[in-house]
Amino acid sequence: MVQDILEAIMAAEGSEQPGRELAGLAGLPVPESYRGVVVRAEETRMFEGLAARDKDPRTSLHVQEVPTPELGPGEALIAVMASAINYNTVWTSIFEPVSTFRFLRRYGRLSALTARHDLPYHVVGSDAAGVVLRTGPGVTKWSPGDEVVAHCLSVELEDAPGHDDTMLDPQQRIWGFETNFGGLAELAVVKANQLMPKPRHLSWEEAASPGLVNSTAYRQLVSHHGANMKQGDVVLIWGASGGLGGYATQMALNGGAIPVCVVSSPDKAELCRRMGAELVIDRAAEGFRFWSDEHTQDPDEWRRFGERIRELTGGEDPDIVFEHPGRETFGASVYVAKRGGTIVTCASTSGFQHQYDNRYLWMHLKRIVGSHFANYHEAWQANRLVALGQIHPTVSRTYPLEQTGQAAYEVHRNLHQGKVGVRCLAPTDGLGVRDAELRSRHEDAINRFRGR
Ligand SMILES: NC(=O)c1ccc[n+]([C@@H]2O[C@H](COP(=O)([O-])OP(=O)(O)OC[C@H]3O[C@@H](n4cnc5c(N)ncnc54)[C@H](OP(=O)(O)O)[C@@H]3O)[C@@H](O)[C@H]2O)c1
């Protein structure tokens, strides 16, 4: 049955009127089950005693058949052509810092509708590009056959705070991480207010890959909720060729700022240069060690790092530090930010107990801003930049759904560049391009940014 859906979507390929072909999906029955990438509740203790680095997503992520859930009000069922690996799938797969079954249990207690999410398996994944198959009661803006990407903000909006900024909804969750029925699957259930138009010049795997990280980088760097970047700002970007960093680098360049890109290999430095960045620091080649031992930071290394930044910028310090590595780099980030500058953080990959010298914060009037994903409007703006061809996908490699474990392993071990894509229903890369003219205008950049 999923095969019938795929055939209908493939019929749109090369058709003069793909929209008409896809509208036919409304007439196909909804499959009773589908294949999804899951972690299993009975395996949450499988890595006990191992260091985080040694916990292997290839043994905890399984592809299995799961029943298709009933659609609730305001929801949509989508056929997922492609998805991508986000670091949150790495966290889920190694059951760190907590098992995501805790999130599902808590969500399940909210209502009869959310109880559907509390299952002994968790279908993961927070990105998707695909086609709407069905919509639930009350959905008016989307219909079967619409080609879409999904952002990953799930909100209930029954409380007042979320009506100012949906990220402040007390029931805010990340779809496919804190909810079930995520995007690393043949079908996925989303709230209709997660949907956005698929950029027409991109293939399925390209369209799926910016999603979570592009929206996060947009709020963190560009939005007034984040660092509110302006023209001429010097922006220090950690992991500048990685998931978040690849988009932060593009947004800095696109917005007239000056990115200083930090990476850990010549290949990654080369990818930043291909994106147009001129100021790049290879932290591995230059041997920065901000901690002399597990408990002690080395301020001399902060100074050496700050001097290196000034050497590249002609004497300027960063107006903004785009933070996510966390414990390992945070002391250096606070130190090198400009007087009055902003350190904006959305994560703690290397450890969430940060240490920094507060004198450099208060005496130099710096501020630390916490940022998390993006509201619908920010995600929409970020997707619009992709659809306009101002921001390009950075997908470097793709895997079929069956090899999602390998894809997550590469992200866990930092063996990747940019984004790692996953073909869910799409049998090959390169399908789904609907605007060949727009694509040809951006083809060079798309290829340049794809990494290796
Ligand atoms: N709050 C949110 O909404 C949100 C959204 C997206 C992601 N995140 C989190 O943000 C983090 C990064 O996500 P991502 O998708 O960008 O991951 P990613 O693709 O793995 O890229 C992160 C990059 O950071 C650099 N890095 C890693 N450890 C480092 C360290 N100890 N010191 C310096 N640099 C280090 C690495 O680049 P080099 O080796 O080249 O330096 C790495 O490629 C993850 O923890 C993720 O869970 C949070």
Side-chain angles (χ1 to χ4, degrees):
M1 299 250 277
V2 168
Q3 193 54 32
D4 297 340
I5 289 168
L6 177 59
E7 278 169 24
I9 296 173
M10 292 300 287
E13 211 55 40
S15 157
E16 296 276 293
Q17 292 182 304
R20 181 177 291 182
E21 301 283 353
L22 294 171
L25 286 168
L28 290 181
V30 170
E32 283 173 13
S33 65
Y34 65 95
R35 286 186 320 144
V37 175
V38 305
V39 287
R40 295 173 181 155
E42 79 238 24
E43 291 183 348
T44 53
R45 301 170 85 97
M46 71 193 295
F47 295 134
E48 263 180 10
L50 292 179
R53 184 185 155 75
D54 299 325
K55 300 179 179 179
D56 190 336
R58 293 173 296 190
T59 56
S60 55
L61 291 174
H62 308 277
V63 179
Q64 77 177 42
E65 200 76 15
V66 297
T68 308
E70 287 288 316
L71 270 195
E75 292 182 340
L77 179 71
I78 54 176
V80 185
M81 295 301 281
S83 181
I85 301 297
N86 285 296
Y87 215 92
N88 66 6
T89 289
V90 174
W91 294 126
T92 303
S93 70
I94 62 174
F95 309 104
E96 290 223 10
V98 293
S99 156
T100 48
F101 287 99
R102 265 169 63 170
F103 303 145
L104 301 186
R105 274 197 299 277
R106 194 179 308 149
Y107 192 31
R109 286 197 292 269
L110 191 64
S111 72
L113 199 60
T114 65
R116 290 169 307 162
H117 291 255
D118 184 9
L119 294 164
Y121 56 85
H122 184 183
V123 185
V124 294
S126 299
D127 277 324
V131 186
V132 175
L133 291 179
R134 289 287 191 282
T135 56
V139 176
T140 59
K141 293 189 81 71
W142 303 97
S143 308
D146 288 343
E147 295 180 275
V148 292
V149 289
H151 73 75
C152 63
L153 175 63
S154 167
V155 283
E156 310 299 319
L157 290 181
E158 290 191 285
D159 295 275
H163 287 263
D164 190 27
D165 171 11
T166 44
M167 282 306 297
L168 298 183
D169 183 14
Q171 297 297 339
Q172 170 268 319
R173 289 179 170 80
I174 299 299
W175 164 71
F177 179 60
E178 294 165 291
T179 80
N180 219 320
F181 318 128
L184 285 161
E186 293 171 331
L187 306 182
V189 176
V190 295
K191 302 213 176 205
N193 60 17
Q194 287 176 244
L195 296 175
M196 309 187 290
K198 170 186 166 286
R200 290 174 53 78
H201 65 300
L202 298 181
S203 62
W204 295 112
E205 74 284 358
E206 290 166 347
S209 69
L212 183 151
V213 282
N214 187 38
S215 307
T216 306
Y218 184 90
R219 181 178 175 109
Q220 195 175 346
L221 196 55
V222 180
S223 167
H224 65 99
H225 290 121
N228 210 3
M229 182 190 78
K230 59 183 190 315
Q231 294 183 48
D233 279 349
V234 173
V235 185
L236 180 75
I237 302 172
W238 290 107
S241 77
L244 287 168
Y247 292 96
T249 299
Q250 293 188 63
M251 281 171 204
L253 290 165
N254 203 32
I258 302 158
V260 179
C261 296
V262 188
V263 292
S264 66
S265 73
D267 278 357
K268 292 180 173 189
E270 173 56 21
L271 180 58
C272 293
R273 294 200 174 90
R274 287 208 304 272
M275 287 193 274
E278 291 173 0
L279 314 182
V280 184
I281 297 174
D282 182 336
R283 66 182 170 99
E286 301 193 25
F288 288 108
R289 286 176 62 90
F290 301 125
W291 291 77
S292 31
D293 63 47
E294 208 185 313
H295 307 288
T296 323
Q297 297 205 57
D298 182 353
D300 284 345
E301 281 295 89
W302 298 349
R303 271 178 220 112
R304 185 165 78 90
F305 186 56
E307 278 159 21
R308 182 73 182 106
I309 295 168
R310 285 183 180 172
E311 220 173 272
L312 290 173
T313 60
E316 294 196 63
D317 296 326
D319 297 276
I320 299 169
V321 181
F322 186 86
E323 243 297 333
H324 50 88
R327 182 172 172 82
E328 200 159 315
T329 56
F330 206 80
S333 293
V334 171
Y335 177 80
V336 300
K338 184 182 270 181
R339 198 176 272 266
T342 302
I343 302 97
V344 61
T345 174
C346 77
S348 294
T349 313
S350 64
F352 44 80
Q353 299 285 358
H354 296 184
Q355 280 180 19
Y356 60 89
D357 186 333
N358 201 34
R359 290 169 298 177
Y360 295 110
L361 191 84
W362 100 70
M363 293 294 286
H364 294 175
L365 300 112
K366 304 178 189 184
R367 63 193 187 119
I368 296 170
V369 175
S371 189
H372 185 39
F373 188 59
N375 63 36
Y376 192 9
H377 188 241
E378 290 160 338
W380 190 282
Q381 294 298 340
N383 184 56
R384 176 173 168 266
L385 293 175
V386 177
L388 289 171
Q390 293 189 24
I391 296 284
H392 301 294
T394 58
V395 62
S396 56
R397 187 176 288 181
T398 59
Y399 286 96
L401 193 65
E402 301 74 34
Q403 289 178 37
T404 302
Q406 176 63 27
Y409 171 80
E410 289 178 15
V411 175
H412 182 30
R413 287 299 187 93
N414 197 14
L415 301 171
H416 66 302
Q417 288 188 354
K419 294 293 297 177
V420 179
V422 174
R423 293 187 303 276
C424 297
L425 283 171
T428 59
D429 285 355
L431 301 170
V433 176
R434 305 292 181 232
D435 187 337
E437 199 275 323
L438 182 60
R439 186 174 183 93
S440 70
R441 266 192 276 149
H442 296 295
E443 188 83 52
D444 282 354
I446 292 170
N447 290 335
R448 228 175 28 247
F449 290 13
R450 279 195 68 138
R452 309 206 189 292

